[in-house]
Amino acid sequence: KAGVTQTPRYLIKTRGQQVTLSCSPISGHRSVSWYQQTPGQGLQFLFEYFSETQRNKGNFPGRFSGRQFSNSRSEMNVSTLELGDSALYLCASSSLQGFDNEQYFGPGTRLTVT
Amino acid sequence: TQLLEQSPQFLSIQEGENLTVYCNSSSVFSSLQWYRQEPGEGPVLLVTVVTGGEVKKLKRLTFQFGDARKDSSLHITAAQPGDTGLYLCAGLPAGNMLTFGGGTRLMVKP
């Protein structure tokens, strides 16, 4: 079974621009979560989507948004980029069966904002 | 202050040594997960512990869930360079959002 894929792997943007990141979950997984990872803050939860609906949202400003499509693929968007948005953005999918919300992560998108 | 506190934050040891990483909280968790992340990759799930007092072994790695389900530990026996990476614990408290600890960065030198 193919793992979680994320595109692009690397991205360089300028402050003020917007960016869209894409995530394809493991086949059959309907829950997709997004995380931001930085050296200072660690791994922080952005939001979770299930069946095209946002189920949970972390403590991030409204510039961070996401959506999920009927095939469970998900995108996240960051508008008006700031230097502090430079981070590794990780997508994870879950089957929500068995143990609590075990996450299967993609390799991440490394975003650099200059 | 993080809901899940991991210690130590950094650990550098020689190949063959043993080590223990701790994950502590004042909250009760229905389960705790441990992940390992290597540079340039996403975290990979190692194990989930569910029952208070539970001990799980994965080759040279031993995971324990505290009796009160507020803490967990990861013990590595005879560490190898391939064990190098960032170890993360994660739990699901009330509110249904998986919460990660700050991580322990382990380096095993040959």
Side-chain angles (χ1 to χ4, degrees):
Chain A
K1 196 182 269 191
V4 177
T5 58
Q6 292 187 245
T7 56
R9 290 293 309 273
Y10 304 92
L11 206 48
I12 300 175
K13 289 286 188 179
T14 303
R15 194 170 44 182
Q17 288 185 314
Q18 75 164 18
V19 66
T20 299
L21 312 181
S22 181
C23 171
S24 292
I26 291 172
S27 177
H29 285 191
R30 294 166 63 190
S31 168
V32 174
S33 297
W34 288 89
Y35 297 85
Q36 181 195 66
Q37 188 175 33
T38 59
Q41 298 297 320
L43 200 61
Q44 291 190 295
F45 173 79
L46 279 157
F47 28 66
E48 180 202 5
Y49 286 87
F50 179 79
S51 292
E52 303 177 64
T53 301
Q54 188 181 89
R55 289 209 311 174
N56 288 296
K57 188 177 190 304
N59 189 25
F60 277 82
R63 299 186 296 107
F64 292 82
S65 63
R67 60 177 175 168
Q68 186 181 34
F69 302 95
S70 58
N71 62 358
S72 294
R73 192 177 68 85
S74 178
E75 290 181 346
M76 68 162 281
N77 183 277
V78 188
S79 62
T80 319
L81 284 165
E82 300 177 0
L83 295 178
D85 297 333
S86 294
L88 180 67
Y89 289 89
L90 291 159
C91 164
S93 73
S94 174
S95 66
L96 298 183
Q97 294 176 359
F99 299 129
D100 294 329
N101 215 0
E102 290 176 340
Q103 305 281 284
Y104 294 86
F105 285 87
T109 294
R110 172 75 61 187
L111 172 65
T112 301
V113 182
T114 62
Chain B
T1 305
Q2 296 212 320
L3 190 59
L4 281 168
E5 297 284 344
Q6 284 189 242
S7 61
Q9 287 184 297
F10 302 96
L11 196 52
S12 179
I13 61 172
Q14 292 296 133
E15 182 177 1
E17 292 183 10
N18 302 331
L19 66 116
T20 302
V21 174
Y22 299 93
C23 176
N24 295 303
S25 177
S26 57
S27 300
V28 175
F29 292 87
S30 57
S31 66
L32 273 177
Q33 301 163 13
W34 284 92
Y35 295 79
R36 180 171 68 209
Q37 185 178 19
E38 298 184 24
E41 300 294 331
V44 174
L45 180 67
L46 296 173
V47 78
T48 301
V49 284
V50 180
T51 308
E54 180 179 6
V55 176
K56 277 192 175 178
K57 291 195 173 187
L58 190 67
K59 296 182 182 177
R60 294 175 294 99
L61 278 59
T62 301
F63 304 85
Q64 185 162 7
F65 200 12
D67 291 340
R69 292 188 289 124
K70 293 182 178 181
D71 55 84
S72 181
S73 64
L74 157 60
H75 182 79
I76 301 180
T77 303
Q80 299 176 1
D83 296 326
T84 293
L86 178 68
Y87 288 81
L88 295 157
C89 65
L92 200 66
N96 219 27
M97 293 190 308
L98 194 65
T99 300
F100 282 81
T104 294
R105 194 165 295 280
L106 171 65
M107 175 171 288
V108 183
K109 301 174 187 173

